Amino acid sequence: MTNFRPFFNPATGEWIEYTAVAENNDGELVRFNWRSMPGGTITEHIHPDQEERFTIVTGEAHFTLAGEERTAGPGDTIVVPAGVRHSEGNLGPVEIEGVVELRPALRTKEFHEAVAGLVADGRTTPRGAPKNPLQLGATFWHFRHESRVTSPPIWVQNLMLPPLWTLAKVFGVKPYYERWDSRVGE
């Protein structure tokens, strides 16, 4: 079994530590221990092809699912069907702990590592968007089946991101770098 180090994304205020990844379960799911720091927020997005399931262990998470506000506490599970716009925020004074699963796994692990890696490398805005348009195109078009932000509208992203991705390839800008891999002990 592969072990993973926890990593932090300051743009979202969340810690992630994988406990199951695609390569260990024929792509069925990715599972991770998740912590959201006070004030942490995950921007509204969708998972076009994946169901996401949050099971809260401690704290109180505030979700918006398709415009509907929901609160989840210890023992509660929030299920987000594929394609449903959603966001999460920690409005309280203590961290939230939970377990998150996405089915199927796709390349979710690499997407989370890429976004956190870009933030850690100082290559993003405070909210986590890559400053370099070629990096934006490379990362967000490459991982479009895993996650899509809802603003700008997806139809605008579908016009804007493919040419940026093509240029990124020409200039050697990659969507993911191995230095962001959170595996340990292999």
Side-chain angles (χ1 to χ4, degrees), residues 15-125:
W15 283 92
I16 291 175
E17 182 177 10
Y18 294 101
T19 58
V21 293
E23 65 201 44
N24 301 127
N25 56 51
D26 295 323
E28 180 184 331
L29 77 119
V30 62
R31 181 185 312 113
F32 53 92
N33 294 325
W34 171 74
R35 295 183 350 217
S36 177
M37 301 296 106
T41 185
I42 301 170
T43 300
E44 186 178 81
H45 63 286
I46 66 167
H47 302 286
D49 303 311
Q50 297 169 293
E51 174 189 273
E52 185 171 31
R53 181 177 298 260
F54 292 82
T55 300
I56 306 304
V57 177
T58 62
E60 186 174 87
H62 296 269
F63 292 88
T64 302
L65 276 73
E68 179 187 322
E69 301 288 327
R70 306 220 9 223
T71 301
D76 293 338
T77 297
I78 298 289
V79 177
V80 183
V84 172
R85 61 188 171 90
H86 62 286
S87 62
E88 182 278 331
N90 183 347
L91 307 178
V94 299
E95 78 177 38
I96 299 164
E97 292 183 31
V99 176
V100 180
E101 292 183 352
L102 289 105
R103 294 173 187 267
L106 304 178
R107 297 174 298 195
T108 299
K109 173 191 165 293
E110 291 80 7
F111 174 69
H112 288 156
E113 291 169 338
V115 174
L118 287 167
V119 174
D121 290 352
R123 296 167 53 194
T124 67
T125 65

Side-chain angles (χ1 to χ4, degrees), residues 163-177:
L164 292 174
W165 186 50
T166 300
L167 282 173
K169 286 188 211 177
V170 169
F171 288 98
V173 177
K174 298 178 182 176
Y176 178 84
Y177 293 90

Side-chain angles (χ1 to χ4, degrees), residues 130 132-144 147-149 152-169:
N132 178 337
L134 299 184
Q135 188 68 65
L136 178 76
T139 301
F140 285 88
W141 191 250
H142 181 76
F143 292 110
R144 69 191 176 278
S147 187
R148 304 289 300 265
V149 294
I154 290 176
W155 70 267
V156 172
Q157 295 175 50
N158 290 344
L159 292 174
M160 177 183 75
L161 295 177
L164 292 174
W165 186 50
T166 300
L167 282 173
K169 286 188 211 177

